[in-house]
Amino acid sequence: MAVHRKRFRVEEAVVGEMPSPEMIEEAAPMHSEIMAELRAIRAQMAKGPAPLSGSAAMAAIDASTAHELSEARTMLETYRAQIEQCEKLKVELDLIHDAIDRTKREIATLHGKSFDGGEMAKVNGELGAVVGGTEQATQQILEAAESIDQAASAMSKVQSADQQKRLADDIQERVISIFEACNFQDLTGQRISKVMGTMKFIEQHINAMMEIWGGVDAIKAHVPAHVDTRSEDEKLLNGPKLAGDIGHASQDDIDALFD
């Protein structure tokens, strides 16, 4: 327990008013607590991780930036490659679209000028006229030849000059009839020329469509194998061969059959 001493007036005059012992005793614990807290803070700071220096922090930032930049470049290259593939695909699709459009124009031209009812009916009519004219001319020539043969036989049997003259005039008239019938060749040639013109027109546009899709060689790769479904008798009915066809029998071949 603190002892209270009485102060004299002389001490107060010289030293001044001194703090009381109670005040000194109250301030001492507060000072100790403050010092203890400061020591605890200092110890905590000593245990914690040391902060990065300025150069280390910049290096970490640079490394992170470089990584992000590398990822961005990789993604950009991927997108660029995809764009190039899309451009190539677009070019191919444009080519296919152009080929289809050109093919449609060729088909429309063929349908409008060759395959419609009027043009094909005209072609059929020309071919029918060729067949009919040839048949009629052949019949006229055969009839005239038969009449000439009969007139010549009769002329050798008659003695009268008048009868011989009439038979000679009849033979001359039949010969003129044969000449007239032979005009079918000119008419037939004109009709067939019209048909050939139409066929050439169709052939040109078909060849154009084949060229659009790669040419004849490319089309041949898709041609199915030919299967002959004709009977044995139908296989023999091939009609007359052309001059350039193989398999022609010469007169020597025919004579060899009888040797």
Side-chain angles (χ1 to χ4, degrees):
M1 183 177 180
V3 178
H4 297 281
R5 184 174 65 84
K6 182 180 179 181
R7 299 185 65 188
F8 296 96
R9 290 194 297 271
V10 177
E11 294 176 349
E12 293 178 357
V14 175
V15 181
E17 187 176 359
M18 297 295 290
S20 61
E22 292 82 359
M23 295 177 61
I24 295 173
E25 290 178 357
E26 291 178 359
M30 185 178 297
H31 176 72
S32 300
E33 291 176 0
I34 291 173
M35 294 303 295
E37 291 294 336
L38 290 174
R39 286 193 294 271
I41 292 172
R42 186 178 298 170
Q44 186 67 28
M45 292 176 64
K47 293 179 181 179
L52 295 174
S53 61
S55 60
M58 291 300 297
I61 294 173
D62 291 341
S64 176
T65 304
H67 179 68
E68 292 178 357
L69 183 60
S70 177
E71 291 182 350
R73 287 178 178 174
T74 303
M75 187 177 298
L76 181 60
E77 292 296 331
T78 303
Y79 289 159
R80 186 174 298 170
Q82 292 177 354
I83 291 174
E84 291 178 356
Q85 293 296 328
C86 291
E87 289 178 351
K88 292 180 180 179
L89 180 61
K90 183 179 182 301
V91 171
E92 296 295 332
L93 291 176
D94 289 340
L95 292 175
I96 294 174
H97 179 272
D98 181 65
I100 293 174
D101 187 62
R102 290 165 59 191
T103 304
K104 289 169 63 177
R105 289 199 298 269
E106 297 293 339
I107 293 175
T109 303
L110 287 175
H111 184 271
K113 295 185 179 180
S114 298
F115 289 159
D116 60 344
E119 189 67 22
M120 294 308 294
K122 184 178 180 181
V123 170
N124 292 332
E126 294 290 348
L127 292 176
V130 168
V131 174
T134 304
E135 182 180 0
Q136 182 180 0
T138 303
Q139 185 69 24
Q140 184 176 349
I141 291 172
L142 292 175
E143 290 177 356
E146 184 178 1
S147 299
I148 292 173
D149 181 64
Q150 292 175 358
S153 298
M155 186 180 293
S156 63
K157 296 178 182 181
V158 299
Q159 299 296 329
S160 173
D162 292 338
Q163 290 181 348
Q164 291 180 353
K165 185 177 182 304
R166 285 197 299 271
L167 290 173
D169 292 340
D170 185 59
I171 291 173
Q172 187 177 6
E173 183 179 352
R174 297 300 181 183
V175 170
I176 294 174
S177 176
I178 290 175
F179 287 153
E180 291 176 351
C182 287
N183 290 330
F184 84 95
Q185 184 178 3
D186 182 45
L187 298 176
T188 300
Q190 295 178 14
R191 296 183 187 278
I192 292 178
S193 297
K194 293 180 182 179
V195 175
M196 289 180 62
T198 303
M199 294 297 105
K200 287 182 179 179
F201 177 80
I202 295 174
E203 181 183 7
Q204 290 175 357
H205 286 277
I206 291 177
N207 290 334
M209 286 188 286
M210 294 172 66
E211 290 297 329
I212 290 172
W213 295 104
V216 178
D217 295 335
I219 299 299
K220 287 182 178 179
H222 301 278
V223 176
H226 177 68
V227 179
D228 193 354
T229 58
R230 297 178 299 172
S231 63
E232 295 299 328
D233 293 338
E234 291 176 345
K235 292 180 181 179
L236 299 175
L237 300 177
N238 295 320
K241 294 181 179 296
L242 296 176
D245 293 343
I246 60 175
H248 282 285
S250 64
Q251 186 63 41
D252 295 336
D253 297 330
I254 297 174
D255 294 339
L257 296 175
F258 299 96
D259 292 341

